[in-house]
Amino acid sequence: MGKKIAACLMAVLLLCSSISALAVAPQTTSQSACVMDADTGEILYEKDAYTQLPMASITKTMTALVAMENSDLQGSTTATDEAMATVDPASTRIGFEAGETLTLDELMYCMLVYSANDAANILAAAIGGTVDNFVAMMNAKAAELGCTHTHFMNPNGLDTDGHYTCAHDMAIITRAANQYPAFAKYAGAVNYTLPADNVIGEGWQIHTKVNALEQGNAVYDARIYAGKTGWTTKAHNTFVACAKTKDGSNVIVTLLNCPVKSGIFTETTALLDYAENCYPKLTVSTDQLKKQAKKAVKKAGYTLDEAKLQDVALRLPTGMTDKDLSYRCETTDSGVQMQISVAKDSRKAYQEETGLDGSAPLRTVLLPVVAESKADKQEQEVQTQTETPEKQGVLASVHQKLSGLPRLAQDAIIGASIVVCAIVLMFVILFVIRMHNLRKKRNRKNK
């Protein structure tokens, strides 16, 4: 009997230790890392995520984003010497020649599958007019997305002063790029056959540098459906990955300054495991949101449109519930927003689990509201004007009856009415005082 009890206790201890082990974020050799739920923007893991570092060819994620937003990728362009002048001949290139006619679609494949630097420059010149103009577009887009630790000097990622990013910003950029289905088409392709053109008589096949996309590879991860690697002598190995987890969520992993190439894949897999196993989805119901939102919306001069209010999905570490959340509303130019954060009393436990301090909002939700319309205000004014004299008061009634007279005559009559009312009131007061004094005299006589 004692042995059975001991065995049961040992099993419980092992189970508890395995559960606690799941809650511990994996150790990474990458200097900087970030894991983001791409569907909500919620950060699930960070390691030194705001340190500015060179980014190498994951730069091409932003190049692709700007290209997808500003061009018809089925259009064509002609390669020029000017576009390729700043590309190091020793770096990764296709070897395009001046005068070669290419579609933007072909250039996107070459840039994201093979990481061709000449393809990135030709694409940039085609869309921006010049490479420098395109780089300005990249920096403008970074600012628009809210990236505060990113600056681009070229569209390819070759080392140069002033060209840097951080893991958090790269997650934001990758999330924006991934909203275009074309990004997964290009960044998720394992092979691509470059067709013949006006200069090259025969095409050839290029192969991905993202080993995690290749079935049969030791670092293959079926969850990863798009990715971009990078490497330079200053940046070392960098990586951005888009993955679909077992609960159907889109998750982004970004890594900077990893010492070995295989590490960017194995560490991405470990971080995806962590996100899946330790961050279950939590739904905040509309009933919970109503309680927090109604007062804030009313204070801002609106009415909450309850019919349009929707449940909010977010992620919390295993063991934490909606009781560990706090809510804050504020009025912005875009409307009334609700920020859902980790409650102060729960932040210590949250930080122990995640390494994040919990002060940043997990989700920011724009609340559906109904503003008081001008028509409503006008209707209220009409109702006020058509109220009975008893409800409006004596002065309002007099003013309504005299509305046909000139303004000066109206003011004179109203002024006289006020004086008469004041005199009548004075006589009433004097009468009350007189009656009070007579009553006091009578009381004295009776005594």
Side-chain angles (χ1 to χ4, degrees):
M1 186 69 176
K3 290 182 179 180
K4 289 183 179 180
I5 294 174
C8 290
L9 288 173
M10 182 61 69
V12 170
L13 288 173
L14 288 172
L15 177 61
C16 292
S17 64
S18 64
I19 292 173
S20 62
L22 286 176
V24 177
Q27 296 296 314
T28 61
T29 60
S30 299
Q31 179 181 342
S32 182
C34 183
V35 180
M36 174 188 284
D37 184 322
D39 298 323
T40 65
E42 183 182 346
I43 300 299
L44 308 181
Y45 171 85
E46 286 183 341
K47 175 187 176 183
D48 203 13
Y50 294 89
T51 299
Q52 295 175 181
L53 294 168
M55 65 189 100
S57 280
I58 60 173
T59 296
K60 297 180 176 80
T61 306
M62 176 60 96
T63 306
L65 172 58
V66 175
M68 290 184 293
E69 283 192 347
N70 295 279
S71 67
D72 175 7
L73 297 178
Q74 300 308 311
S76 61
T77 188
T78 300
T80 63
D81 287 329
E82 291 78 11
M84 298 180 287
T86 57
V87 178
D88 183 354
S91 67
T92 302
R93 300 180 307 138
I94 293 292
F96 291 121
E97 300 178 21
E100 196 165 347
T101 301
L102 303 153
T103 67
L104 303 189
D105 182 69
E106 292 166 2
L107 292 169
M108 288 284 282
Y109 273 115
C110 292
M111 180 179 72
L112 293 177
V113 176
Y114 192 67
S115 198
N117 296 319
D118 50 356
N121 275 35
I122 297 168
L123 188 69
I127 297 169
T130 67
V131 173
D132 288 343
N133 286 346
F134 187 86
V135 172
M137 294 168 68
M138 295 170 69
N139 285 314
K141 186 62 183 179
E144 178 189 325
L145 292 172
C147 299
T148 56
H149 296 76
T150 296
H151 187 262
F152 297 99
M153 294 295 289
N154 59 58
N156 50 59
L158 291 173
D159 286 331
T160 186
D161 292 340
H163 192 85
Y164 55 81
T165 191
C166 69
H168 182 267
D169 284 358
M170 277 311 306
I172 294 173
I173 293 167
T174 306
R175 182 191 185 203
N178 196 42
Q179 290 174 355
Y180 289 86
F183 182 73
K185 180 183 80 168
Y186 298 120
V190 176
N191 297 295
Y192 175 69
T193 301
L194 188 65
D197 58 35
N198 63 317
V199 172
I200 300 173
E202 184 179 349
W204 69 92
Q205 191 176 76
I206 56 178
H207 191 76
T208 185
K209 296 181 182 294
V210 183
N211 298 347
L213 292 172
E214 301 178 272
Q215 292 189 37
N217 194 294
V219 294
Y220 172 71
D221 192 323
R223 294 169 296 187
I224 299 174
Y225 59 84
K228 182 71 195 77
T229 60
W231 182 89
T232 63
T233 54
K234 287 185 178 180
H236 299 115
N237 292 281
T238 62
F239 189 43
V240 297
C242 303
K244 182 79 73 174
T245 57
K246 60 188 176 184
D247 64 3
S249 300
N250 288 291
V251 174
I252 288 168
V253 178
T254 62
L255 299 171
L256 295 173
N257 192 18
C258 185
V260 294
K261 183 176 180 179
S262 61
I264 58 177
F265 304 125
T266 57
E267 291 177 11
T268 294
T269 291
L271 289 170
L272 288 173
D273 290 342
Y274 171 69
E276 280 189 323
N277 295 326
C278 301
Y279 272 90
K281 279 186 176 180
L282 173 70
T283 299
V284 182
S285 69
T286 54
D287 289 338
Q288 292 170 287
L289 295 175
K290 283 178 191 176
K291 297 175 184 178
Q292 305 296 331
K294 278 186 176 180
K295 291 182 180 178
V297 167
K298 186 176 181 180
K299 188 176 181 181
Y302 297 91
T303 300
L304 182 67
D305 190 345
E306 297 184 17
K308 293 183 179 179
L309 194 64
Q310 296 180 343
D311 294 346
V312 175
L314 49 78
R315 294 177 181 273
L316 284 176
T318 303
M320 299 188 78
T321 68
D322 53 10
K323 295 181 180 179
D324 296 296
L325 298 173
S326 65
Y327 306 85
R328 178 175 175 271
C329 292
E330 61 179 11
T331 304
T332 66
D333 292 340
S334 57
V336 183
Q337 292 183 340
M338 172 178 282
Q339 294 181 342
I340 306 176
S341 306
V342 178
K344 288 185 178 180
D345 293 344
S346 302
R347 287 181 185 175
K348 183 178 180 181
Y350 180 80
Q351 186 169 21
E352 289 175 353
E353 293 288 334
T354 68
L356 306 173
D357 63 16
S359 59
L362 302 176
R363 288 292 306 275
T364 299
V365 181
L366 187 65
L367 295 173
V369 297
V370 178
E372 186 179 16
S373 66
K374 290 183 179 180
D376 293 335
K377 291 182 179 179
Q378 290 174 354
E379 185 178 348
Q380 288 180 1
E381 290 175 0
V382 171
Q383 288 176 350
T384 301
Q385 291 175 359
T386 57
E387 284 179 347
T388 61
E390 291 78 12
K391 289 184 178 180
Q392 292 181 4
V394 176
L395 292 179
S397 176
V398 171
H399 185 75
Q400 185 177 5
K401 290 177 179 179
L402 299 178
S403 59
L405 296 176
R407 180 61 184 271
L408 185 62
Q410 291 183 38
D411 292 342
I413 293 173
I414 291 174
S417 300
I418 293 173
V419 172
V420 171
C421 290
I423 292 172
V424 171
L425 179 62
M426 181 181 68
F427 276 107
V428 170
I429 294 172
L430 290 174
F431 178 77
V432 171
I433 294 173
R434 175 71 176 169
M435 294 301 295
H436 178 70
N437 290 335
L438 287 173
R439 187 176 296 174
K440 288 175 68 176
K441 287 180 180 180
R442 289 174 185 170
N443 290 338
R444 288 174 185 171
K445 288 180 179 181
N446 293 332
K447 290 179 179 181

